[in-house]
Amino acid sequence: MELESLYDLLQLPKGVEPPAEEMLSQGGKKRYLPPTSRKDPKFEELQKVLMEWINTTLLPEHIVVRSLEEDMFDGLILHHLFQRLAALKLEAEDIALTATSQKHKLAVVLEAVNRSLQLEERQAKWSVETIFNKDLLSTLHLLVALAKRFQPNLSLPTNVQVEVITIESTKSGLKSEKLVEQLTEYSTDKDQPPKDVFDELFKLAPEKVNAVKEFADGVILLLLIGQLEGFFLHLKEFYLTPNSPAEMLHNVTLALELLKDEGLLSCPVSPEDIVNKDAKSTLRVLYGLFCKHTQRAHRDSMPRGAPN
């Protein structure tokens, strides 16, 4: 391919050299995002939503992401993010300074992520090499998958797709190809389920739902269930002062099992969502308790019929 056509294809500004054949090994491929793709409003919105989600999740650890392309490659933030989302501890060094140790750390994290997502390595749209080489598309695929697994209520922009240029080194020179990369699922208004009472609550009074996040460690929830359902929970069965995500997850899991046994869970709720302070999931749990005991109180207050 001629130099001039590569400039046109990749939409490179003046002074920026297009890739040379010697930069790619024989049969090697590299993806490029042209400026028109990078500036696509939905593509920019997807990055913004994901960054806000990461920063909110990692707020207790005082971690701030400013660029998905530059801040995610070495595995450090992915390590903290996955541990908090999955409520588990990974056996990986906290600080990795060399490229070798960073790639090893990244490999440990991605292995755990793929296992959690029930993906084989060949099925994943990311790899240690692509993430470490700051491939933005691979990073976005990874973060979208994590969000769908651990934060399904996160409002990601739908049908985000961008044009990608793939350059491949062949025996006859550089070969280019234009492809469209689909990052989020296509949907229409007809495909969307009708919004329920919780959607309306979040829309009309979002500032009033923050209090439910106090149930994240499961302690208040367990004590409330015991009080309302009339049974005593021995202190050996749960952590009264949980000191780790794993202990919080134990408490919340126990609480959900108790609710399920009592027939108070009208829809599946993930204990990880409660631990991660997902307000909507927590409200659904509390609403089940509220409905049952409001109805009970109403029945108890009704006048009795005259004795025979």
Side-chain angles (χ1 to χ4, degrees):
M1 177 174 288
E2 295 180 356
L3 190 64
E4 183 178 355
S5 61
L6 265 179
Y7 268 110
D8 295 336
L9 183 65
L10 299 178
Q11 304 171 31
L12 294 171
K14 292 182 179 179
V16 177
E17 290 292 329
E21 291 184 42
E22 57 268 20
M23 293 176 62
L24 292 173
S25 59
Q26 184 71 41
K29 288 185 179 182
K30 188 170 179 61
R31 294 189 299 183
Y32 293 88
L33 275 172
T36 51
S37 294
R38 288 183 176 273
K39 293 178 182 178
D40 181 273
K42 294 190 75 172
F43 185 66
E44 291 181 330
E45 182 189 357
L46 176 62
Q47 294 178 75
K48 180 182 177 183
V49 171
L50 288 171
M51 277 195 290
E52 289 178 349
W53 170 59
I54 294 170
N55 289 336
T56 300
T57 303
L58 297 181
L59 183 63
E61 300 184 41
H62 308 289
I63 293 175
V64 178
V65 173
R66 294 185 173 86
S67 167
L68 297 180
E69 206 162 8
E70 298 295 329
D71 295 346
M72 307 297 294
F73 79 98
D74 61 359
L76 175 63
I77 293 175
L78 279 175
H79 183 194
H80 285 270
L81 178 65
F82 182 69
Q83 284 194 147
R84 186 163 284 273
L85 291 175
L88 54 79
K89 177 73 173 176
L90 292 182
E91 294 300 325
E93 53 187 319
D94 290 331
I95 303 297
L97 299 178
T98 66
T100 301
S101 59
Q102 287 172 347
K103 290 183 77 171
H104 174 72
K105 177 187 182 73
L106 182 60
V108 171
V109 176
L110 291 185
E111 183 182 358
V113 168
N114 292 345
R115 189 164 54 246
S116 175
L117 297 175
Q118 298 183 342
L119 285 176
E120 295 182 13
E121 188 176 350
R122 58 184 176 80
Q123 296 175 306
K125 296 180 180 179
W126 54 84
S127 67
V128 173
E129 290 299 323
T130 57
I131 300 294
F132 191 75
N133 289 328
K134 302 180 182 180
D135 184 312
L136 181 56
L137 292 174
S138 293
T139 303
L140 289 173
H141 279 302
L142 171 60
L143 294 174
V144 167
L146 284 172
K148 288 172 64 177
R149 165 66 177 85
F150 293 103
Q151 196 78 41
N153 295 323
L154 185 65
S155 182
L156 295 174
T158 59
N159 196 29
V160 179
Q161 53 183 347
V162 290
E163 191 175 75
V164 183
I165 310 298
T166 301
I167 306 294
E168 181 180 5
S169 176
T170 67
K171 292 181 180 180
S172 57
L174 293 178
K175 176 185 176 182
S176 67
E177 185 179 14
K178 284 187 177 182
L179 300 170
V180 174
E181 190 94 5
Q182 191 80 28
L183 291 164
T184 62
E185 296 174 353
Y186 177 80
S187 66
T188 63
D189 291 340
K190 292 181 180 179
D191 296 329
Q192 299 296 323
K195 292 186 177 181
D196 59 9
V197 63
F198 297 100
D199 294 308
E200 295 305 310
L201 175 61
F202 274 70
K203 183 193 297 182
L204 298 174
E207 74 285 351
K208 295 183 179 180
V209 300
N210 288 327
V212 302
K213 296 180 180 180
E214 296 178 7
F215 291 83
D217 63 6
V219 176
I220 298 178
L221 187 57
L222 283 170
L223 296 176
L224 180 62
I225 294 170
Q227 180 71 21
L228 292 175
E229 296 300 309
F231 55 76
F232 173 74
L233 281 173
H234 198 283
L235 293 179
K236 290 183 179 180
E237 295 184 26
F238 69 102
Y239 298 95
L240 188 59
T241 55
N243 294 314
S244 69
E247 293 180 356
M248 295 167 65
L249 186 63
H250 170 87
N251 285 355
V252 173
T253 301
L254 174 60
L256 294 181
E257 288 175 353
L258 292 172
L259 289 172
K260 186 176 180 180
D261 291 343
E262 296 294 321
L264 296 177
L265 276 183
S266 58
C267 59
V269 175
S270 168
E272 288 87 355
D273 288 342
I274 306 293
V275 173
N276 292 327
K277 301 182 179 180
D278 180 72
K280 190 176 293 187
S281 296
T282 310
L283 278 172
R284 291 187 187 280
V285 170
L286 296 175
Y287 186 67
L289 277 169
F290 171 78
C291 286
K292 175 180 178 180
H293 291 279
T294 299
Q295 292 170 0
R296 178 185 294 173
H298 177 68
R299 288 196 304 268
D300 292 344
S301 64
M302 291 181 64
R304 308 293 184 186
N308 292 330

